[in-house]
Amino acid sequence: MKNARAAVAPSVDGHFRSRVRLRHLECFVVVARTGHLGRAGGQLGLTPPAVSKTLTELEAMVGRRLLTRQRAGTALTAEGMRFLRHALGVLEGLDAAAESLEARRPRPAETVRIGALPSIVPALLLDAVTGFRLRHPDIDLIVRADMNRMLIDSLKADVFDLVLGRMDDPVSMEGLWFESLGPEPLLFAVRAGHPLAADGLIGGLADILHWPLAVPAQGSIPRHSLESLLARHGLGLPSGCLETADAYLGSLVTQTTDTVWAAPTSAVKRLASSGTLTVLPIATQGTEEPIGVLRRADRELGASAQAFMREVRTIASATQERVQG
């Protein structure tokens, strides 16, 4: 029986090798990195149905579901994360082989791959990217924003070198290293000139519930913090809220309507500093959730990724000093 199994294995491997094409691996990797069939199709020059067909062919070859398709995008399965590491290795190996035959070809620029929560983009990430590019203009940066759990899954699958995000449950955090950059409390912001921004017109948390609300996405840590804060005051979210993890959308809606935006500090503070938004004087003690840098514990960071991490630490430290001062 042992000999029979040994005889079958080569034919199974050979069956996959004889059918798989480079386009299957490239399509899978781009979808894994973008998390969306449409965005992947844009990069590959394919329609979403063509991308889906290519992925279906690949899954049929390997006999496993590699991705789950959802309305908001795609997510890697456990098998997909394992397959992604090897697919990346194949493509990187092909690139290295091509380079070895082109002696006059310039060495490709080093790349740092960053994942970040959308709420971190307007302040911490923007400052870090700006400072890093000034000091390291020859190093490419790839940045993608996503929900915390998706960022963690992608980090484990080696899509990112670093993630600017939050702690998650112990199972999700297994194999990862987290360095806290400081607490990130919720703030309530409105446009400049909003009636609630006038002195003495807001008495407490209950007053904001009479206005349109933009709140963090369901399932996120900031959303949990918001609901806990309201519950401590015997309150709950009204119907008709705008739920979004997109800090850009939240800021636009708040600037152009009478919406009250409940968002982490990083999403609000730059617009508040410029006077575009006004932070309401509402106590939010108990909503402080640390943000930080996540990376894989089993892998040493390259010199460029370490440089980006130093940039993030410097900015976060300066921010904490201003807050405490």
Side-chain angles (χ1 to χ4, degrees), residues 70-133:
Q70 304 164 347
R71 176 171 293 185
T74 63
L76 289 168
T77 64
E79 290 86 355
M81 284 190 279
R82 289 196 293 270
F83 188 82
L84 178 60
R85 288 194 289 271
H86 297 293
L88 287 168
V90 170
L91 297 179
E92 289 169 358
L94 288 173
D95 289 341
E99 286 176 33
S100 70
L101 299 176
E102 298 181 28
R104 291 180 294 177
R105 181 180 176 180
R107 185 180 179 128
E110 194 169 351
T111 300
V112 181
R113 304 164 301 164
I114 307 297
L117 292 170
S119 61
I120 292 175
V121 172
L124 175 61
L125 183 61
L126 175 59
D127 290 342
V129 167
T130 302
F132 183 82
R133 295 182 72 197

Side-chain angles (χ1 to χ4, degrees), residues 188 208-218 223 226-227 230 236-244 249 253 259-262:
F188 294 95
I208 70 168
L209 302 183
H210 301 295
W211 296 86
L213 294 177
V215 300
Q218 183 72 41
R223 175 62 172 271
L226 173 61
E227 292 178 342
L230 291 170
L237 284 175
S239 60
C241 293
L242 168 63
E243 298 184 12
T244 182
L249 175 61
V253 169
T259 295
V260 178
W261 186 22

Side-chain angles (χ1 to χ4, degrees), residues 8-30:
V8 170
S11 65
V12 172
D13 293 343
H15 177 72
F16 175 72
R17 287 196 298 269
S18 67
R19 296 184 61 198
V20 71
R21 298 292 181 265
L22 186 59
R23 63 182 176 85
H24 293 114
L25 300 183
E26 289 178 330
C27 181
F28 173 70
V29 167
V30 174

